[in-house]
Amino acid sequence: MASSKPPSDQSVTSEPVDLSAPHSLAKALHARRSEYVRKHRVRVKIGTWNVAARPGTDKDLASWFVFGQGLDQKLAALDLSMNPAVERVDADAAKDPQPDGIRLVGGNDIGLYVLGLQEVVDLNATKDYMNRAVYTDTAPLSRWQSALEAALPPGYVLIDSELMTGLLLLVYASPEVAASISNVSTKQVGTGLLGYFGNKGAIATRLVLGETTRMVFVNSHLASGATSGALDRRCWDVGQILSKTQFDPIIQAGVEEEDSDKIGDEDFAFWFGDLNFRLDGLPGADIRRILTLHSRGEYGSSDDRPSTPLDGRGVIIMRSSESSDDDATTISTTYSRDESFDSESSLPDPDDFPEDPSQDPTSLQATLDSLLPHDQLRRMIKERKVFHDGWREGPITFLPTYKYDVGAIGLFDSSEKQRAPSWCDRILFRTRKDKQEYDDKIREEADSKKRDEELKSRGVDQDDDVLFSYDPETDGDEQVNSSLDVDYDEYDENDDMEPTEVVTRNGAHDTIGLDIYASHQRIASSDHKPIISVFTLDYDAVVPELKAQVHAEVARELDRVENEGRPDVTLIVEGATNSSDSIVDLGDVAFMERKSTSLTIANTGSVSATFSFVETPSTEEGDSSVPEWVHTFFVRPDDERATSVGKSVTLEPGETVLALVEAQVSAMSHLRALNDARVHIEHVLVLRVEDGRDHFIPVRGSWLPTTFGRSIDELIRIPDGGIRKFMADKDIRGSISYDSDVHCSAPKELFKITEAIQTLAERCVADEAMLEEVLIPRDYGWPFDSSAWTSATLPEQDALRDSLITALDTDTSLLEAIPVEVTSTQRLELLASVLLLFLESLTDGIIPAHLWAKLSSAIPNPAVLPPTAWPDTRIRILDVLSSAPNHNIAFVFLTATLSRVAAELTPAAPDPSRPILGRRLSLRRGGGDDDVTKKRRAREKRFAEIVAPLACRANDKDKATKEKERAVIEMFVNKEAAG
């Protein structure tokens, strides 16, 4: 939960700002940030668990991750009774009482739940894994998401859910925290099979909290194995994850940052998962034996009586029956071979423990401390091979998390392999301060090395300054507190538990503290034990309402301090009721639709005024942008032709000029961002008056949902009635969820466009035969080649194209969207232009990049194949495309349409047995079958050249690839190859 603290008493005038500066708005706003920033507190709970693809593990999720059950005081060295993240419960009143009456904080007390799971599916079988590499199975995601949502308190909001083969990351936030989260970006990095498959790797999520604090969560599963080669591979995995993770740029106040974030640019980072680091240098049997003595309470006991179980009843092992049904698990209860225990516990009284557990050689912590120096992860950090750049970990006070017998508590691997226990599952964290301290240390070392090399080159063995700078009164007292120099043999329960103050990238002052780092030993449905960390974060958060109020006050103050003797102009927006209403409301804005309005600008001052529209100053210092969808130009009020008079205008007192504001969303990047709700139809125009004050003119509109700029997987989920009705009825903002019902096998819009094109192609041929004024262009690329279009001369061409786009988005007739007075050839050209625009706007394309990669490796270069080999190659191509049925159907339908249009527009050879009717028909007769075939093939090839770059999404667009794309399309458009 987030809570706010009283505002600071800092004076808003403590940072004087030159209000006369051109870009002083951002500086003045920042100077008063104490007025719109408030302290908030949130608890972040991170959990990680390798579920080993065991059925039924999802049923245990609520108990340990949300309700905090499964702890055991006897199996942990941490004093749970004194920890702020541990709650004492009344065993009599509790529905499911816990050992010692303790459980971890959860429920409404957590503001941010972050869950990382590994091996949610079984990837041992090669066939199953390859199927999952090709097809995305969302069933595990739905199962675990449902299990977590059923346990969370009402109102918690899903921030992110991501599945990569066996890795799953879920992030949920309380209603108060969710409202302050923005800029969520999630990336996957596969490092498994062949170095990039998703059986190993990481899912990383970046989010911004309160507009001030950047947080990164990394759920990873690194390479397994106990060999030195496996250890090197784990380090390599981490390097790949760090180098390949690039988050989307941050967008603040509608302005996108130039650079993308990577891991290391955030304020707080958390890396967790099955890191697979092992204990080496010790016999596995010895590790297992000494830890088993602790888990049974036998360590340090001198008598020979049988050992006491953990709960006085014997160690219970729950083994699942052999069943292929993942949704039902039969549990049979048996007792382990060491089940004969006395009913009385042999553990010493906790009150007799020394104050420092590490000082008791028989304590569990002393044993853990003796094992931790053999931990590969800590050794790799010391050797600066991985996680050495500021990463920290809470004190390990719990038993190794791997490997246990499934269903057992405290019983390590008793299989034939008898794997050595290890802390495979870990939660690491790093603050911006930690990273900066590491970077500073590296720079100091580099400078010292450079200085030593310079001294050595001059023949000086030591720096004279060092020889005479020793002070016995102060030297030796400094202690270096760095993750690089941690002595892991020393145990201190309070290590890394003290809150750390961090200055974020945005200048906020945040404080984070680790409340607890523990394992849930009594969760026994997997061979791994789940672990958790609970952090308390105090952070500065922007209050949007207060920021808007301060922004308005600063803008008014900027106006007030302007010299009244400077040039001054007055703006009146078209349709505004009064001169103070300077908002340009574009209304509903559709894709490619051109919306325009005008502003009347009058010189109401006493001197001449020169002005122009300039880039908008951002709230981030030094950053500015003008969206490419807004354009402005000036015209004279009496100019009916609206001829631009230049980018800058000078008016004498009393004169006026019109400023036309035109808006059109045409760029594909902007279209896709609007569809995903990452940006909105809003901007602020700035009219700069030389030696005068700036005028800020908000521009806003409502984005109309469109089928353009979406993926095929989204489009097949749109029912009858069109996307606008569908998204309005379902109240969808942004992209269409892949969980929605599928209504068609391929985009309905593609069906409608291609069907209309085929109909009009037939109409054009008929009109040319019957009407003297209709003549089909002879260019082989027509009607898809824009250079051959005759409709380009139509004054209403753009309006007709917009009508067709509207018809697609509202599921109405395309042919009825164009007036009947438009010729059939012009109508066909308009439809062809819309088809090309639709193909270009698809986010994934007809043949996505991953399918093109498979095609490239599965078939020889079709560009050099003879036509006789095309039929067999077509079959192989369709086999590859069949892995994505929706794309396959769309591909076949598109190419079939191109083939039919090419055949329809190519004149057939005359039939000698039939008379030729009409002069127009005789003119279109070919010279023979060979001539007709050559013309049709030339048209088919030209069609393929135009459509291929839009339909195929190869990563490399070199000349050879373009030719290969063209050949793939052509062999399906070719009439003979199509059979």
Side-chain angles (χ1 to χ4, degrees):
M1 298 289 288
S3 61
S4 61
K5 295 185 178 181
S8 171
D9 294 332
Q10 179 183 356
S11 172
V12 297
T13 60
S14 59
E15 297 182 42
V17 178
D18 179 13
L19 295 178
S20 63
H23 296 282
S24 60
L25 177 61
K27 293 181 180 179
L29 188 63
H30 186 271
R32 296 179 57 177
R33 66 190 309 274
S34 62
E35 298 182 45
Y36 57 81
V37 171
R38 297 291 183 270
K39 276 291 183 185
H40 283 65
R41 170 168 290 181
V42 64
R43 264 183 162 173
V44 181
K45 189 171 189 178
I46 299 175
T48 178
W49 191 20
N50 186 323
V51 299
R54 299 289 303 182
T57 46
D58 56 313
K59 298 178 176 61
D60 281 339
L61 178 62
S63 64
W64 69 269
F65 188 53
V66 179
F67 303 144
Q69 300 170 355
L71 294 176
D72 198 316
Q73 179 71 65
K74 303 181 183 68
L75 302 180
L78 184 65
D79 186 2
L80 299 178
S81 64
M82 303 296 293
N83 194 287
V86 174
E87 298 179 346
R88 284 284 174 179
V89 296
D90 185 355
D92 295 332
K95 182 178 179 181
D96 186 12
Q98 295 300 294
D100 301 326
I102 55 176
R103 68 183 179 194
L104 285 184
V105 64
N108 288 309
D109 293 327
I110 301 297
L112 199 61
Y113 282 97
V114 182
L115 174 65
L117 299 176
Q118 304 85 45
E119 295 191 33
V120 295
V121 296
D122 187 2
L123 301 179
N124 289 327
T126 303
K127 179 180 179 182
D128 291 342
Y129 174 70
M130 295 309 296
N131 287 336
R132 294 183 185 276
V134 176
Y135 300 99
T136 301
D137 182 9
T138 60
L141 174 62
S142 301
R143 183 172 69 254
W144 284 98
Q145 189 172 324
S146 299
L148 184 52
E149 289 178 354
L152 290 173
Y156 272 67
V157 179
L158 175 65
I159 301 301
D160 192 32
S161 63
E162 192 79 7
L163 175 68
M164 182 182 78
T165 313
L167 273 173
L168 175 61
L169 179 64
L170 295 173
V171 181
Y172 282 84
S174 65
E176 297 85 351
V177 175
S180 67
I181 292 177
S182 63
N183 288 284
V184 179
S185 177
T186 302
K187 302 299 177 183
Q188 299 180 1
V189 177
T191 63
L193 185 65
L194 302 179
Y196 65 90
F197 275 84
N199 59 316
K200 291 292 188 294
I203 301 173
T205 290
R206 188 276 326 277
L207 58 86
V208 177
L209 193 61
E211 295 188 27
T212 59
T213 304
R214 307 185 188 205
M215 306 179 74
V216 167
F217 301 94
V218 183
N219 174 28
S220 66
H221 193 182
L222 306 183
S224 61
T227 65
S228 60
L231 176 59
D232 293 339
R233 182 55 185 258
R234 286 190 278 276
C235 297
W236 183 86
D237 287 351
V238 174
Q240 290 295 296
I241 295 168
L242 290 171
S243 63
K244 292 183 178 180
T245 302
Q246 294 285 335
F247 299 110
D248 297 334
I250 295 285
I251 299 177
Q252 294 283 16
V255 179
E256 183 177 288
E257 293 184 353
E258 293 184 0
D259 299 327
S260 300
D261 279 356
K262 58 183 181 297
I263 298 176
D265 294 333
E266 69 288 333
D267 301 313
F268 301 99
F270 307 88
W271 192 307
F272 47 91
D274 183 359
L275 307 189
N276 256 319
F277 288 101
R278 311 301 174 92
L279 291 176
D280 53 17
L282 291 175
D286 291 350
I287 302 174
R288 190 164 45 252
R289 179 180 59 81
I290 190 172
L291 292 177
T292 301
L293 290 175
H294 276 288
S295 66
R296 296 175 180 172
E298 300 176 6
Y299 192 83
S301 177
S302 60
D303 55 25
D304 297 329
R305 58 180 182 170
S307 57
T308 302
L310 296 173
D311 52 9
R313 298 188 302 274
V315 179
I316 297 178
I317 307 174
M318 296 173 288
R319 304 194 184 279
S320 60
S321 62
E322 297 295 332
S323 172
S324 59
D325 186 0
D326 290 341
D327 297 327
T329 303
T330 304
I331 304 296
S332 60
T333 303
T334 62
Y335 287 90
S336 71
R337 56 184 179 274
D338 298 321
E339 60 182 344
S340 298
F341 298 112
D342 293 341
S343 60
E344 184 178 352
S345 173
S346 62
L347 286 175
D349 190 328
D351 294 337
D352 297 333
F353 287 170
E355 184 177 349
D356 186 350
S358 64
Q359 301 304 313
D360 180 4
T362 65
S363 68
L364 173 60
Q365 188 61 56
T367 300
L368 300 182
D369 288 344
S370 68
L371 296 177
L372 286 172
H374 298 274
D375 175 48
Q376 290 178 342
L377 174 56
R378 299 196 169 197
R379 179 162 59 86
M380 291 299 97
I381 293 176
K382 276 192 171 184
E383 295 177 3
R384 298 192 181 186
K385 291 185 178 179
V386 71
F387 291 122
H388 54 281
D389 49 347
W391 291 94
R392 292 188 283 163
E393 183 180 21
I396 293 183
T397 60
F398 47 86
L399 292 174
T401 60
Y402 175 84
K403 174 183 181 26
Y404 293 85
D405 285 351
V406 175
I409 301 173
L411 184 59
F412 292 98
D413 184 17
S414 62
S415 67
E416 181 180 351
K417 293 184 178 180
Q418 292 193 339
R419 297 175 179 85
S422 296
W423 285 280
C424 291
D425 309 275
R426 313 290 275 269
I427 300 177
L428 309 178
F429 65 99
R430 182 177 66 182
T431 69
R432 180 173 176 81
K433 180 180 179 181
D434 296 328
K435 182 66 165 58
Q436 289 174 336
E437 288 179 351
Y438 168 79
D439 293 339
D440 292 342
K441 183 179 181 67
I442 293 301
R443 280 192 293 269
E444 290 175 4
E445 291 179 354
D447 293 342
S448 177
K449 182 179 180 181
K450 182 179 179 181
R451 186 167 59 251
D452 291 344
E453 291 176 351
E454 291 176 353
L455 292 174
K456 186 176 180 180
S457 65
R458 289 155 43 192
V460 180
D461 292 337
Q462 291 182 325
D463 191 343
D464 293 338
D465 293 338
V466 176
L467 294 176
F468 298 100
S469 62
Y470 176 72
D471 184 353
E473 297 296 329
T474 59
D475 287 6
D477 293 336
E478 297 181 359
Q479 300 294 326
V480 179
N481 182 16
S482 170
S483 60
L484 304 176
D485 301 315
V486 174
D487 185 355
Y488 295 108
D489 291 336
E490 293 294 331
Y491 168 74
D492 183 355
E493 182 178 301
N494 296 316
D495 277 354
D496 297 313
M497 303 288 279
E498 292 298 325
T500 302
E501 183 173 330
V502 177
V503 179
T504 70
R505 286 183 59 177
N506 289 346
H509 291 264
D510 296 353
T511 302
I512 192 169
L514 173 61
D515 296 337
I516 194 169
Y517 184 32
S519 68
H520 293 264
Q521 286 290 328
R522 287 190 168 269
I523 304 301
S525 51
S526 170
D527 57 1
H528 288 250
K529 299 298 181 183
I531 63 173
I532 61 91
S533 282
V534 176
F535 297 87
T536 297
L537 174 64
D538 293 315
Y539 65 101
D540 288 336
V542 170
V543 181
E545 296 81 4
L546 296 179
K547 184 178 180 180
Q549 179 180 344
V550 174
H551 185 280
E553 293 176 0
V554 170
R556 286 196 297 269
E557 182 66 14
L558 286 171
D559 291 340
R560 188 187 64 81
V561 299
E562 292 290 341
N563 192 321
E564 295 181 356
R566 292 180 177 179
D568 189 23
V569 298
T570 300
L571 281 67
I572 301 177
V573 179
E574 177 185 3
T577 57
N578 54 70
S579 59
S580 62
D581 186 5
S582 61
I583 298 177
V584 176
D585 193 342
L586 300 172
D588 292 334
V589 178
F591 176 53
M592 296 300 293
E593 181 184 15
R594 192 182 301 274
K595 302 294 288 284
S596 64
T597 188
S598 64
L599 304 170
T600 299
I601 304 175
N603 184 348
T604 54
S606 57
V607 296
S608 62
T610 301
F611 50 83
S612 61
F613 285 102
V614 298
E615 294 183 353
T616 305
S618 169
T619 55
E620 298 293 334
E621 184 176 356
D623 188 15
S624 62
S625 64
V626 173
E628 55 190 26
W629 58 279
V630 176
H631 305 278
T632 58
F633 56 95
F634 299 103
V635 298
R636 296 295 179 186
D638 54 352
D639 185 2
E640 296 181 357
R641 301 180 60 182
T643 304
S644 174
V645 295
K647 294 183 178 180
S648 179
V649 173
T650 300
L651 295 181
E652 296 299 326
E655 291 184 340
T656 61
V657 72
L658 289 180
L660 297 185
V661 179
E662 289 192 348
Q664 183 184 38
V665 176
S666 58
M668 293 302 164
S669 59
H670 190 203
L671 166 66
R672 292 164 183 169
L674 287 167
N675 285 341
D676 293 340
R678 290 187 284 114
V679 298
H680 304 281
I681 299 294
E682 56 184 23
H683 185 56
V684 177
L685 295 173
V686 178
L687 183 71
R688 175 150 299 157
V689 181
E690 293 184 9
D691 298 325
R693 68 182 183 90
D694 292 345
H695 292 262
F696 300 91
I697 309 161
V699 180
R700 66 187 182 190
S702 299
W703 175 243
L704 289 176
T706 180
T707 54
F708 289 75
R710 299 186 182 272
S711 67
I712 286 181
D713 284 336
E714 287 184 270
L715 296 176
I716 61 177
R717 288 167 167 80
I718 301 174
D720 292 343
I723 189 172
R724 294 183 185 176
K725 181 178 184 301
F726 170 63
M727 299 191 75
D729 292 344
K730 298 293 185 179
D731 194 23
I732 298 175
R733 300 287 188 272
S735 59
I736 300 173
S737 172
Y738 289 175
D739 294 336
S740 304
D741 295 335
V742 174
H743 292 276
C744 48
S745 58
K748 183 179 180 181
E749 294 74 21
L750 182 62
F751 292 160
K752 293 182 65 175
I753 299 175
T754 52
E755 181 182 24
I757 287 176
Q758 293 181 49
T759 300
L760 278 178
E762 296 173 359
R763 176 70 60 82
C764 287
V765 173
D767 287 351
E768 185 184 48
M770 304 299 296
L771 302 174
E772 289 286 342
E773 65 272 13
V774 176
L775 183 65
I776 296 177
R778 295 297 184 262
D779 189 282
Y780 287 134
W782 190 87
F784 300 104
D785 189 348
S786 59
S787 64
W789 288 345
T790 60
S791 61
T793 60
L794 284 174
E796 67 275 18
Q797 179 194 18
D798 291 346
L800 293 174
R801 178 203 58 208
D802 297 343
S803 298
L804 292 174
I805 293 175
T806 301
L808 287 176
D809 293 340
T810 56
D811 195 15
T812 56
S813 172
L814 290 175
L815 296 180
E816 294 178 2
I818 308 176
V820 294
E821 57 268 21
V822 179
T823 67
S824 57
T825 56
Q826 292 173 335
R827 298 168 81 185
L828 180 57
E829 290 170 358
L830 289 169
L831 278 169
S833 69
V834 172
L835 173 61
L836 298 180
L837 186 63
F838 180 80
L839 295 177
E840 180 186 5
S841 73
L842 287 172
T843 59
D844 46 2
I846 300 295
I847 302 180
H850 71 280
L851 285 181
W852 179 261
K854 293 181 180 179
L855 283 179
S856 299
S857 60
I859 62 174
N861 187 356
V864 299
L865 289 176
T868 56
W870 285 4
D872 291 338
T873 306
R874 281 167 47 94
I875 294 175
R876 297 172 67 181
I877 292 175
L878 291 176
D879 286 342
V880 174
L881 295 181
S882 64
S883 63
N886 307 123
H887 291 268
N888 188 17
I889 295 173
F891 174 79
V892 172
F893 206 86
L894 172 65
T895 52
T897 297
L898 297 176
S899 179
R900 292 172 186 171
V901 172
E904 186 68 36
L905 297 180
T906 304
D911 185 353
S913 63
R914 298 180 62 185
I916 298 175
L917 301 177
R919 180 180 62 83
R920 298 287 291 177
L921 289 178
S922 64
L923 291 176
R924 286 189 43 80
R925 296 296 178 180
D929 289 340
D930 290 342
D931 185 50
V932 170
T933 301
K934 290 180 180 179
K935 291 181 178 180
R936 190 189 69 247
R937 287 181 177 175
R939 191 180 298 273
E940 292 166 347
K941 181 177 181 180
R942 181 63 183 137
F943 281 7
E945 290 175 347
I946 296 171
V947 173
L950 305 178
C952 304
R953 299 297 170 86
N955 290 325
D956 297 325
K957 287 290 186 178
D958 54 19
K959 183 177 180 180
T961 302
K962 291 179 181 179
E963 183 64 17
K964 194 172 185 178
E965 289 176 340
R966 192 269 311 160
V968 168
I969 299 296
E970 184 182 0
M971 68 173 57
F972 281 86
V973 177
N974 182 268
K975 183 177 181 181
E976 287 81 4

